[in-house]
Amino acid sequence: MNMTATKIEGETATPAATVAPVVALTPKRRPRTEAYARMARETAVRVIPPLVVIALLTLVWELVCRRAGSALPPPSKVFADTRELIFDPFFDHGGIDKGLFWHLSASLQRVAFGYSLSAVAGIALGVLVGQSVWAMRGLDPLFQVLRTIPPLAWLPLSLAAFRDGQPSAIFVIFITSIWPIIINTAVGIRNIPQDYRNVAAVVQLNPLEFFAKIMIPAAAPYIFTGLRIGVGLSWLAIVAAEMLIGGVGIGFFIWDAWNSSHISEIILALFYVGIVGFVLDRLIAGLGKFVTRGTAQN
Amino acid sequence: MTAYLKLDHIDKVFTRGVASTEVLKDINLTIEKGEYVSIIGHSGCGKSTLLNIIAGLTGATTGGVLLENREVNSPGPDRAVVFQNHSLLPWLTVYENVKLGVDKVFAKTKSRAERDAWVMHNLNLVQMAHARDKRPSEISGGMKQRVGIARALAMEPKVLLLDEPFGALDALTRAHLQDSVMALHQKLGNTILMITHDVDEAVLLSDRIVMMTNGPSARIGEVLEVPLAPPRKRLELATNTTYLKCRQRVLEFLYERHRFVEAA
């Protein structure tokens, strides 16, 4: 092999650069089965620990509540008592004697309504408070006081105002979930980097374009934090509100079960409430992740 | 000699409560069409403030900026800025970032297809057309700055303002980008005003170098013409006596007559 050595003569010579050949490597394909095995392993790592914990807790519960005279039913009895409710969630015998699906869907409808209203109003107010110093000075103290009022404290007032259970429940959802949305949106708007505002100024975006093209995308991570807290709060509030207003809904189902001493049904309903709350939270989180995928700072 | 861009007795005082600091004092400068002017000075001397005043992002306390004999005091696409930290919108692709300005500036004068072609033309100028569908987080720092330059160029500014455009880049990328900007200036003949703190960069790129004294109350200390004919070649200039003399002058100004005391 011939090597050409470059000598630097005096101060002027430059070392010659040798160009290395570029070799394109074809990426090695892993065998399919191996990929599946790895996927299965990864899933197992995440799924098995919670399953073990749940099994252990159920066992403890069974052992504690099994003896005669226990106040609460053991899981085996819960399952036996609520078989019908679990396997047929769609029955409808009129009145409030319906399957759990109908109760949950009534509650979800109220939440969807109240939460949508509070999302729209909350983002609008948040933008106002974040953008205008005077709006913040005027409104922020009010928000700080109002947001500490517990959801149910609003219910009597809204019943007096609307004279009907349905709009009152929706109002309670609205007033409970709006505060974190307002506050987080305002923080997001206030944290928009000056650079983005400068870009908008140089390009001469009008206020409407600035709102749609800069503000909302830039504040989206904050807005979705607020929306996520909001959806959790509204699910908390709906169950409590429905216990008081009655009618079809998972909250009243629980209250009704308590009145007729069906403790097993209460436990089943709590289980469903938890699952639905979890799904709602994940739904908003997933939506936020999808919408803000490009917003990450770099 | 006609003044294209004229800075007329600009003073800038920042007031916070009762305390006020005079940042810039009596800045006068005229720039001709097609000129490449650099403003150099130690950090904190108010050169970025001056650029913001020209861009219209900050108001001057007294005095004003005249562009083609008309006063300008609000930001606009006729004075497009290339920001130091690129300031690309991270949720838009490279193409969309450039298009944002193009859609506004040429909303009435160009059709949709023409605007699209114009965006691609400008991305081609900075050799970034291949990354049109990438997001800023997916490209390197030098590439981001190229897109920033394309965004500014695409607005067809009367004056292109560069705010330490290569400050955040590594030395090799910086040299590469300086060459690109030099080539663009020769090709398009834009009027360019650049803020920098790099002596070599200033001498290599500019027709004139404006040296600022230290703040507070920074003034223009000296203006140096760089009589080097284009095209300037980095390697050849390393031994060019005119280049070395100019470099020497700027260094003397910065390190002997206006030493940055705070940094010592």
Side-chain angles (χ1 to χ4, degrees):
Chain A
M1 198 177 155
N2 271 331
M3 287 289 284
T4 41
T6 12
K7 270 188 204 151
I8 294 183
E9 292 160 9
E11 288 173 344
T12 48
T14 47
T18 46
V19 179
V22 177
V23 181
L25 291 173
T26 44
K28 226 184 204 172
R29 268 281 153 71
R30 278 169 178 280
R32 268 257 162 102
T33 46
E34 203 177 309
Y36 281 134
R38 216 184 56 197
M39 239 160 63
R41 254 202 314 278
E42 278 168 6
T43 317
V45 165
R46 270 190 298 161
V47 169
I48 290 178
L51 282 182
V52 169
V53 171
I54 290 169
L56 278 175
L57 285 177
T58 315
L59 188 72
V60 171
W61 176 14
E62 178 76 39
L63 290 177
V64 169
C65 296
R66 205 169 187 177
R67 61 209 160 74
S70 150
L72 296 175
S76 54
K77 187 166 183 305
V78 170
F79 182 73
D81 288 350
T82 59
R83 264 185 97 94
E84 195 194 340
L85 283 169
I86 294 172
F87 291 116
D88 184 13
F90 299 108
F91 71 85
D92 186 353
H93 301 319
I96 58 162
D97 189 8
K98 293 178 201 267
L100 276 171
F101 172 81
W102 301 111
H103 287 288
L104 281 170
S105 92
S107 299
L108 279 172
Q109 271 172 31
R110 294 191 183 104
V111 167
F113 216 75
Y115 179 68
S116 310
L117 282 176
S118 81
V120 172
I123 291 173
L125 278 170
V127 167
L128 179 71
V129 172
Q131 190 68 3
S132 149
V133 178
W134 281 105
M136 188 185 81
R137 287 182 189 154
L139 290 170
D140 197 55
L142 201 68
F143 291 163
Q144 296 300 341
V145 173
L146 288 179
R147 79 189 175 96
T148 62
I149 298 175
L152 284 188
W154 290 101
L155 190 62
L157 190 68
S158 57
L159 278 170
F162 296 111
R163 293 164 193 283
D164 187 14
Q166 184 75 355
S168 304
I170 289 170
F171 176 76
V172 169
I173 301 294
F174 171 81
I175 206 76
T176 308
S177 56
I178 196 169
W179 310 115
I181 301 177
I182 294 178
I183 290 166
N184 281 285
T185 305
V187 171
I189 298 289
R190 240 173 278 148
N191 280 349
I192 295 176
Q194 187 59 38
D195 294 336
Y196 298 169
R197 293 180 186 272
N198 286 348
V199 169
V202 169
V203 177
Q204 287 184 330
L205 295 180
N206 64 38
L208 207 66
E209 288 167 323
F210 180 66
F211 174 77
K213 291 185 176 167
I214 310 279
M215 248 186 202
I216 292 299
Y222 290 89
I223 294 176
F224 272 96
T225 307
L227 286 176
R228 204 172 153 189
I229 302 172
V231 82
L233 286 181
S234 58
W235 190 240
L236 290 184
I238 189 63
V239 173
E242 280 175 350
M243 285 188 176
L244 296 176
I245 62 163
V248 179
I250 193 71
F252 188 69
F253 176 86
I254 294 173
W255 192 244
D256 193 41
W258 157 244
N259 281 332
S260 26
S261 306
H262 293 150
I263 307 299
S264 297
E265 287 182 11
I266 297 180
I267 292 170
L268 179 73
L270 290 189
F271 180 74
Y272 277 125
V273 169
I275 295 287
V276 170
F278 174 77
V279 169
L280 284 178
D281 181 67
R282 280 302 139 119
L283 219 62
I284 300 293
L287 187 67
K289 216 171 176 179
F290 174 74
V291 172
T292 62
R293 68 200 181 289
T295 320
Q297 298 290 316
N298 46 73
Chain B
M1 173 168 150
T2 51
Y4 187 64
L5 178 72
K6 188 171 160 71
L7 312 185
D8 195 9
H9 295 95
I10 290 178
D11 290 350
K12 178 70 187 175
V13 181
F14 281 118
T15 316
R16 176 172 286 179
V18 284
S20 62
T21 337
E22 188 172 47
V23 184
L24 296 170
K25 186 162 175 61
D26 203 26
I27 304 286
N28 285 297
L29 186 66
T30 30
I31 294 171
E32 285 172 62
K33 193 168 180 168
E35 231 187 337
Y36 196 126
V37 175
S38 291
I39 297 178
I40 195 166
H42 289 290
S43 65
C45 76
K47 50 192 195 298
S48 279
T49 309
L50 183 60
L51 185 116
N52 281 344
I53 290 172
I54 300 168
L57 295 167
T58 329
T61 309
T62 57
V65 180
L66 294 163
L67 181 59
E68 289 185 316
N69 292 320
R70 288 228 314 270
E71 182 170 14
V72 284
N73 48 19
S74 62
D78 54 346
R79 282 150 293 132
V81 187
V82 176
F83 298 94
Q84 177 176 11
N85 52 355
H86 67 79
S87 294
L88 299 178
L89 303 176
W91 54 88
L92 298 179
T93 63
V94 161
Y95 174 84
E96 288 164 339
N97 263 294
V98 179
K99 192 146 190 292
L100 185 72
V102 171
D103 276 349
K104 275 305 277 186
V105 178
F106 302 106
K108 294 196 182 96
T109 48
K110 279 183 161 67
S111 72
R112 182 178 272 276
E114 282 172 333
R115 291 201 296 263
D116 172 71
W118 179 243
V119 171
M120 288 318 289
H121 170 74
N122 281 282
L123 283 176
N124 270 319
L125 278 179
V126 296
Q127 292 124 42
M128 283 304 295
H130 61 91
R132 56 170 290 173
D133 293 324
K134 292 223 166 78
R135 285 175 197 276
S137 55
E138 296 166 333
I139 58 178
S140 71
M143 288 174 162
K144 282 178 203 160
Q145 204 50 280
R146 281 175 187 277
V147 178
I149 293 170
R151 175 173 64 185
L153 282 177
M155 292 184 237
E156 279 198 327
K158 290 177 177 156
V159 182
L160 185 61
L161 303 172
L162 309 179
D163 186 3
E164 296 189 21
F166 316 119
L169 304 174
D170 64 273
L172 289 173
T173 314
R174 189 185 305 159
H176 201 55
L177 223 58
Q178 285 164 351
D179 291 342
S180 294
V181 168
M182 242 191 309
L184 282 173
H185 180 231
Q186 257 202 284
K187 190 172 170 188
L188 306 174
N190 304 69
T191 311
I192 302 182
L193 185 72
M194 176 175 78
I195 303 288
T196 183
H197 51 228
D198 181 333
V199 177
D200 288 299
E201 180 174 291
V203 179
L204 177 68
L205 294 175
S206 356
D207 300 321
R208 277 195 295 158
I209 301 173
V210 176
M211 291 170 253
M212 301 212 16
T213 65
N214 284 336
S217 302
R219 292 169 295 106
I220 291 180
E222 199 177 320
V223 179
L224 177 73
E225 297 246 0
V226 184
L228 289 167
R232 297 176 182 174
K233 297 259 167 57
R234 188 182 299 276
L235 287 175
E236 291 166 15
L237 287 178
T239 51
N240 183 310
T241 41
T242 319
Y243 176 85
L244 292 174
K245 251 187 223 158
C246 290
R247 197 167 168 274
Q248 189 64 22
R249 272 290 281 283
V250 181
L251 285 172
E252 273 169 12
F253 178 90
L254 289 176
Y255 297 104
E256 274 179 17
R257 288 156 49 202
H258 294 279
R259 272 180 68 115
F260 188 46
V261 265
E262 272 172 61

